[in-house]
Amino acid sequence: MYSILIVEDDDKIAGILSDHLQRYGYSVSTAEQLHAIKAQFVKIDPDLVLLDINLPYFDGFYWCRQIRSISNVPVIFISARTDDMNQVMAIENGGDDYITKPFHLDLVTAKIKSVLRRAYGAYALNNAHSQTAELAGLFIHPEKNELAYSSARIELSKKEFTLFRKLSEAHDRIVSRDDLLEALWDEVDFVDDNTLSVNVNRLRRRLQELGIHDAIQTVRGQGYRLDVNWGDG
């Protein structure tokens, strides 16, 4: 399930979009603090952002640049500004697409599906990270952010999967906290150090759902190590 963050100061439009997208199976959040979009983006960690231009405090162009400073997640602008210059500015400030108001909901859905395919799905570049891999009996499915072990299967969030992938690629070796922070967030200085610990503990709990316990080991003062001997018990 892809998650979408709606940044829109018109509650009626935000509600219409949210209801429509949830019916199509998306997980939808609406920005509530329009003066702190970047902080909410980090907290929610969406797969795509629908972003209005005319916002209080700072406009959508500003917030798109702020998002781009920490993430390459797709951003689609939705605005009543119909002139070419604003559409050019949207692309130049990091947007992936542009929808003008008033809009047809089917068009919004089609554009979202198209951008998600380019970013994560069938049109995304094929590389080693898109291939199913196996590690000590654990099957890793990057195209779906899934892990499968024995008869159990779980779907991880984007951050959880990135964290696991980074640890698994260097399994049995220590991965420093800085390396993990850089893998998860482009702008490390913006992230509280405790946030990594929270994400590691969350991943540990998810692995327990597969019957894998104590796989992520803390190496005090250095980082973390993935112990792949979960099949030896």
Side-chain angles (χ1 to χ4, degrees):
M1 177 188 295
Y2 289 110
S3 61
I4 297 174
L5 172 62
I6 298 174
V7 183
E8 167 64 66
D9 63 341
D10 186 318
D11 291 340
K12 182 178 180 180
I13 293 177
I16 291 172
L17 286 168
S18 179
D19 290 345
H20 177 75
L21 294 174
Q22 288 183 68
R23 284 198 293 270
Y24 276 82
Y26 296 105
S27 172
V28 182
S29 301
T30 302
E32 298 178 351
Q33 298 175 315
L34 296 178
H35 65 284
I37 301 301
K38 185 176 182 180
Q40 289 178 87
F41 175 86
V42 171
K43 180 180 179 180
I44 294 170
D45 187 28
D47 297 305
L48 182 143
V49 178
L50 292 178
L51 180 61
D52 191 13
I53 294 177
N54 294 324
L55 296 170
Y57 307 105
F58 300 98
D59 64 21
F61 299 139
Y62 170 84
W63 289 119
C64 190
R65 293 195 302 274
Q66 292 295 302
I67 290 171
R68 281 290 166 262
S69 72
I70 56 172
S71 174
N72 289 319
V73 70
V75 175
I76 299 177
F77 280 94
I78 296 184
S79 176
R81 302 183 186 182
T82 59
D83 58 287
D84 291 343
M85 182 53 65
N86 274 284
Q87 296 188 43
V88 170
M89 289 178 63
I91 302 302
E92 289 183 343
N93 280 279
D96 295 274
D97 211 331
Y98 194 100
I99 300 172
T100 59
K101 300 175 183 176
F103 50 79
H104 197 289
L105 288 171
D106 287 342
L107 174 64
V108 175
T109 306
K111 293 226 177 215
I112 287 173
K113 288 180 178 178
S114 177
V115 169
L116 289 173
R117 281 198 301 267
R118 291 200 301 268
Y120 309 112
Y123 303 152
L125 293 177
N126 290 321
N127 52 43
H129 283 226
S130 68
Q131 305 299 316
T132 298
E134 185 267 339
L135 181 64
L138 175 70
F139 288 89
I140 306 165
H141 303 282
E143 75 282 358
K144 296 182 288 187
N145 286 1
E146 284 187 354
L147 301 179
Y149 183 67
S150 187
S151 60
R153 180 184 296 265
I154 58 172
E155 179 181 344
L156 301 178
S157 70
K158 183 172 60 177
K159 284 272 191 290
E160 290 167 349
F161 189 84
T162 300
L163 179 58
F164 180 81
R165 195 63 184 261
K166 186 71 175 178
L167 290 168
S168 67
E169 288 173 345
H171 65 86
D172 293 328
R173 302 195 306 273
I174 297 171
V175 183
S176 72
R177 293 180 66 88
D178 285 345
D179 285 347
L180 292 173
L181 284 168
E182 289 177 4
L184 293 170
W185 294 278
D186 295 334
E187 189 176 307
V188 176
D189 293 340
F190 185 72
V191 182
D192 185 279
D193 190 56
N194 186 57
T195 304
L196 178 59
S197 299
V198 171
N199 279 267
V200 169
N201 288 332
R202 184 180 297 129
L203 178 58
R204 283 173 171 148
R205 291 193 295 270
R206 298 307 312 279
L207 290 175
Q208 289 173 10
E209 297 175 30
L210 295 174
I212 295 175
H213 300 269
D214 303 320
I216 303 177
Q217 302 174 343
T218 301
V219 183
R220 189 179 301 275
Q222 297 183 62
Y224 298 93
R225 178 174 54 212
L226 184 68
D227 181 358
V228 301
N229 295 315
W230 47 69
D232 292 349

